[in-house]
Amino acid sequence: MPSTWSHPPYSPHELQKVLEKKLGPEYISTRSGGGGGGKLTYVEGWKMINLANEVFGYDGWNSSIVSLTTDFMDIDQQGRVAMHVTAVVRVTLVRTGVFHEDVGNGTAENSKGKSATLDKCKKEAVTDGLKRALRAFGNIMGNCLYDKVYTRDIHKVKIPSVR
């Protein structure tokens, strides 16, 4: 059965133009970097999924977990858990078969319980890998966040308030 694409199909040239655009401030979040490293600029996972649906169509892309590895899990004498998980995630465009893969990381330190910690780290690693794989498609998918001038200047833009 042939697939119908939910989004008006872009020509390759039109899609390239869309992917070259940079993210608006409404997509961007910041948090403090660990170890006094200043502010980190990022896009939340749910926003990135919504953006991919908008750009590629809800059925115009898919993702898959290529690998998921628990790199280490340490439990101290008080039962606190430290863990690191890596996930390789592939994002594929349905119409063309073009794909990008990248690795994501999930970490926890000083956590209670192995099961909850493993669950948190897996989700974090897969979401990170998804966002990193999507960014390889272009600026609008998050690649612009690696441009230091852009990230410095975008914080100066006021986001209109919703009333």
Side-chain angles (χ1 to χ4, degrees), residues 11-142:
S11 71
H13 178 72
E14 291 169 326
L15 181 58
Q16 187 61 43
K17 289 291 184 196
V18 170
L19 293 171
E20 288 172 0
K21 293 179 182 179
K22 293 186 178 181
L23 290 169
E26 67 274 17
Y27 290 98
I28 297 171
S29 300
T30 58
R31 64 177 173 83
S32 63
K39 282 188 176 181
L40 295 177
T41 304
Y42 67 101
V43 179
E44 293 179 71
W46 68 271
K47 287 182 180 179
M48 189 59 72
I49 291 168
N50 284 347
L51 188 57
N53 286 339
E54 185 179 319
V55 171
F56 302 124
Y58 74 89
D59 60 351
W61 69 286
N62 62 53
S63 64
S64 58
I65 299 169
V66 175
S67 67
L68 189 62
T69 306
T70 302
D71 299 309
F72 72 83
M73 178 174 53
D74 296 326
I75 304 172
D76 68 16
Q77 292 180 351
Q78 288 78 37
R80 306 300 279 187
V81 180
M83 187 178 300
H84 186 266
V85 172
T86 54
V88 175
V89 178
R90 174 183 290 184
V91 173
T92 305
L93 301 185
V94 173
R95 286 181 45 211
T96 63
V98 170
F99 68 89
H100 291 291
E101 291 180 355
D102 212 326
V103 64
N105 297 284
T107 59
E109 293 181 13
N110 203 28
S111 296
K112 292 182 182 178
K114 289 190 295 187
S115 180
T117 303
L118 184 59
D119 185 53
K120 175 217 176 277
C121 289
K122 284 180 177 181
K123 289 176 183 177
E124 191 175 292
V126 170
T127 300
D128 187 42
L130 175 67
K131 293 189 315 182
R132 290 180 56 81
L134 281 167
R135 86 174 177 91
F137 286 100
N139 281 329
I140 202 163
M141 301 311 297

